[in-house]
């Protein structure tokens, strides 16, 4: 059966790449300052693909934002297991388009044929096609003797999944399943099949300081009047020490340390500083803030703060001006055991306590996502691990992820304590969220094989 599946999928790869390319051509950026008609167009394209694949009960599950989540199902028998398949059809902005080597919304195969470039190729439109392709293959193999499959393709994951909790709660009966596969993560390395079992949580705050009614001549006014740019920099610097440890009192309360088994698994991955620096494009001479043997625990099991945006005047129009205001967005990554709402409030309180000179300070919080840890004892995990090992012809690794998937905890809290299997097609070279995002096509094929083998082994 395994060789039959591999041969059938290889023959269909041109079709699957074409389907993915069609989705990539739609700039479905789910941020308010972009045209949302493309998110709706993307949802319609997914809906059409579902119809062409013969799925039933196809419908939009629409949050308040209007960014459609697309639902569909392919049911066989109530006696068969039901698997809920998640991916998302919205994408990040292209960032600096001048740095792209190809057009961001025109899927382009590399000269060596190994990578498909374009925004959303790896994150996460490939996940949609992987689910659809595996459905096609398992139905061809087992007809109606395979599992029940339900699809839920979100339309606002990249902008924070603000309406996703409401969708899950409202449609909990419709979405009822024995397990969920979240195809929005990735492999530890190319050709290394991986199941993610921990995620960091996420939140963010926007801080704006204001000291004067308008910008002033720096020669005439600076000195007596505080410079909001310097003040903001000092406030941010007080949040952490030189190693990146967060200095907010009580911030790390509840932090869950990795187990001995976790640490053994991390060591087995063979991460070195050289590999990490190469994958991250770290410049020569820039030192890491942790030792080589702490890289993965720092990335997956410790919190971090990142200044994701800062604005004091304009680089393109810099002059001798004492600026009236300064802005920064501070992102929070929270490790397992920490609470997003609590930590966000601690950050807000700490910043407000450290505003000097009576400067006006306005802080806006964003909805957060809690960290996530899944239990791997359910038999479905071994079935998925075995399927991935067979597909990739390489041992499946259990890994963590420093990023956040809000849906993971939402699925568990809404649909019951069902297994949450987190897979995906990203790799360290895919540059998700950055310029020149790409999908490693050999792993795209193997990912489809793995999911097909998993479905085939359930019944």
């Amino acid at each position: 059966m395994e060789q039959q599946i591999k041969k059938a999928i290889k023959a269909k790869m041109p079709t699957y790449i074409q389907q993915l390319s069609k989705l990539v051509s739609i700039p479905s950026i789910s941020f308010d300052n972009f045209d949302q008609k493309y998110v709706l167009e993307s949802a319609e394209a997914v809906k059409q693909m579902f119809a062409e694949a013969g799925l039933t009960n196809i419908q939009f599950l629409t949050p308040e934002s209007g960014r459609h989540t697309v639902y569909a199902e392919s049911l066989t028998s109530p006696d068969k297991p039901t698997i809920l398949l998640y991916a998302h059809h919205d994408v990040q902005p292209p960032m600096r388009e001048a740095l792209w080597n190809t057009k961001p919304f025109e899927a382009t195969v590399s000269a060596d044929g190994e990578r498909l470039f374009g925004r959303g190729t790896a994150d996460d439109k490939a996940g949609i096609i992987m689910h659809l392709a595996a459905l096609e293959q398992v139905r061809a193999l087992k007809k109606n003797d395979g599992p029940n499959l339900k699809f839920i393709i979100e339309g606002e994951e990249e902008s924070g999944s603000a309406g996703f909790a409401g969708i899950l709660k409202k449609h909990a009966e419709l979405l009822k399943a024995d397990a969920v596969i979240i195809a929005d993560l990735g492999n530890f390395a190319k050709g290394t099949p991986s199941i993610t079992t921990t995620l960091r949580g996420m939140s963010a705050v926007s801080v704006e300081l204001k000291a004067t009614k308008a910008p002033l001549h720096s020669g005439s006014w600076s000195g007596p009047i505080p410079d909001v740019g310097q003040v903001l920099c000092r406030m941010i610097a007080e949040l952490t020490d030189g190693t990146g440890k967060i200095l907010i009192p009580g911030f790390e309360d509840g932090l869950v340390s990795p187990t001995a088994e976790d640490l053994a698994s991390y060591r087995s991955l063979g991460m070195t500083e050289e590999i990490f620096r190469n994958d991250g494009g770290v410049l020569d001479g820039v030192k890491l803030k942790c030792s080589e043997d702490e890289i993965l625990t720092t990335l997956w099991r410790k919190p971090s703060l990142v200044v994701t945006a800062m604005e004091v005047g304009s680089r393109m129009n810099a002059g001798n001006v004492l600026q009236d205001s300064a802005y920064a967005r501070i992102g929070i990554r929270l490790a397992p055991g920490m609470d997003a709402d609590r930590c966000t409030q601690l950050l807000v309180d700490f910043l407000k306590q450290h505003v000097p000179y009576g400067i006006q300070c306005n802080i806006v919080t964003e909805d957060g996502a809690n960290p996530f840890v899944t239990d791997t004892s359910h038999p479905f995990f071994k079935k998925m691990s075995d399927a991935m090992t067979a597909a990739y012809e390489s041992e499946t690794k259990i890994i963590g992820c420093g990023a956040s998937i809000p849906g993971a905890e939402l699925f568990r809290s809404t649909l019951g304590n069902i297994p949450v299997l987190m897979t995906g097609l990203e790799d360290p070279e895919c540059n998700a969220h950055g310029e020149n995002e790409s999908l490693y096509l050999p792993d795209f094929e193997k990912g489809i094989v793995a999911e097909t083998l998993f479905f085939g082994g359930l019944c």
Side-chain angles (χ1 to χ4, degrees):
M1 180 182 76
E2 181 181 318
Q3 293 306 314
Q4 177 186 348
I5 289 172
K6 289 182 177 180
K7 183 178 180 180
I9 290 172
K10 181 172 288 295
K12 286 296 298 282
M13 284 308 297
T15 298
Y16 299 146
I17 293 172
Q18 183 181 35
Q19 290 177 324
L20 176 56
S21 298
K22 178 181 177 181
L23 290 181
V24 170
S25 70
I26 305 170
S28 50
I29 304 163
S30 61
F31 291 88
D32 288 336
N33 53 328
F34 289 84
D35 194 336
Q36 295 305 287
K37 73 178 184 182
Y38 295 111
V39 180
L40 304 182
E41 181 182 337
S42 179
E44 290 286 358
V46 172
K47 187 177 182 181
Q48 181 181 351
M49 285 184 176
F50 284 170
E52 292 172 352
L55 275 70
T56 59
N57 199 14
I58 305 170
Q59 57 183 288
F60 288 149
L61 310 180
T62 307
E64 187 175 332
S65 68
R67 303 177 185 116
H68 299 313
T69 287
V70 191
Y71 174 83
E73 58 193 26
S74 176
L75 306 182
T76 55
S77 168
D79 299 330
K80 306 292 185 182
T82 298
I83 309 299
L84 182 62
L85 306 175
Y86 172 90
H88 63 86
H89 65 88
D90 66 314
V91 298
Q92 285 280 325
M95 304 296 285
R96 297 162 294 181
E97 294 195 41
L99 297 184
W100 281 78
N101 298 322
T102 63
K103 294 181 179 179
F105 295 105
E106 184 177 301
T108 306
V109 178
S110 60
D112 60 10
E114 288 201 338
R115 303 197 79 93
L116 183 71
F117 285 87
R119 175 59 86 224
T121 49
D123 183 20
D124 177 37
K125 292 179 177 180
I128 302 170
I129 305 304
M130 181 172 71
H131 289 328
L132 271 173
L135 163 72
E136 178 185 52
Q137 295 296 329
V138 78
R139 290 292 181 262
L141 181 72
K142 307 201 77 167
K143 308 302 180 187
N144 284 328
D145 288 332
N148 302 294
L149 299 177
K150 297 180 177 180
F151 292 72
I152 182 167
I153 311 300
E154 190 183 357
E156 56 181 7
E157 192 275 341
E158 296 292 9
S159 56
S161 295
F164 199 58
I167 286 175
L168 295 185
K169 184 176 180 180
K170 181 178 179 180
H171 301 281
E173 188 62 31
L174 176 70
L175 300 170
K176 187 177 180 181
D178 298 301
V180 58
I181 298 176
I182 296 178
D184 191 21
L185 279 299
N187 293 320
F188 184 73
K190 291 188 303 184
T192 302
S194 306
I195 300 174
T196 300
T197 60
T198 65
L199 299 169
R200 287 197 292 187
M202 177 184 69
S203 184
V205 301
S206 293
V207 185
E208 184 176 27
L209 302 183
K210 194 168 181 63
T212 59
K213 295 179 180 179
L216 300 170
H217 189 297
S218 62
S220 300
W221 298 97
S222 66
I225 300 174
D227 174 10
V228 288
Q230 293 185 58
V231 170
L232 182 57
C233 288
R234 289 197 185 99
M235 289 171 59
I236 293 172
E238 289 174 338
L239 293 170
T240 60
D241 66 13
T243 69
K245 179 177 174 58
I246 297 169
L247 300 177
I248 302 172
F251 193 81
E252 295 187 2
D253 289 356
L255 185 65
V256 177
S257 299
T259 65
E261 291 78 11
D262 291 331
L263 294 175
S265 177
Y266 299 167
R267 286 192 295 270
S268 75
L269 295 170
M271 173 57 73
T272 65
E273 181 171 342
E274 181 181 2
I275 292 172
F276 185 78
R277 295 177 71 91
N278 181 67
D279 289 346
V282 181
L283 299 179
D284 292 342
V286 176
K287 297 180 180 180
L288 302 185
K289 296 189 297 181
C290 62
S291 62
E292 181 176 86
D293 61 353
E294 294 176 319
I295 288 174
L296 294 182
T297 53
T298 301
L299 182 64
W300 296 342
R301 304 303 294 263
K302 294 181 180 180
S304 66
L305 294 180
V306 178
V307 179
T308 61
M310 180 177 281
E311 184 177 89
V312 185
S314 168
R315 181 175 179 176
M316 298 300 296
N317 297 290
N320 298 319
V321 177
L322 178 66
Q323 298 293 342
D324 61 322
S325 64
Y327 164 88
R329 181 181 183 272
I330 304 172
I332 316 171
R333 293 291 180 176
L334 302 165
M338 303 175 75
D339 180 79
D341 290 342
R342 175 181 174 276
C343 290
T344 301
Q345 190 59 52
L346 286 173
L347 174 60
V348 170
D349 293 343
F350 188 88
L351 288 168
K352 287 183 175 180
Q353 291 164 8
H354 288 77
V355 182
Y357 307 118
I359 290 173
Q360 293 180 12
C361 176
N362 181 47
I363 301 178
V364 178
T365 62
E366 299 179 17
D367 291 333
N370 282 324
F372 181 81
V373 179
T374 192
D375 179 8
T376 60
S377 62
H378 194 282
F380 283 174
F381 280 91
K382 185 176 188 311
K383 287 182 179 292
M384 178 60 83
S385 178
D386 290 346
M388 295 176 77
T389 295
Y392 284 77
E393 298 180 2
S394 179
E395 181 185 358
T396 300
K397 299 295 186 179
I398 301 300
I399 65 172
C401 180
S404 306
I405 306 292
E409 180 59 39
L410 292 174
F411 280 123
R412 182 164 62 185
S413 62
T414 308
L415 304 182
N417 194 24
I418 60 175
V420 179
L421 297 129
M422 295 186 289
T423 65
L425 295 165
E426 296 178 26
D427 69 83
E429 299 175 31
C430 76
N431 213 32
H433 289 211
E435 294 86 9
N436 299 304
E437 178 183 345
S438 67
L439 171 70
Y440 185 55
L441 291 174
D443 283 359
F444 183 33
E445 180 177 337
K446 292 170 184 174
I448 296 170
V449 172
E451 199 161 279
T452 303
L453 290 173
F454 174 73
F455 294 154
L458 291 178
C459 303

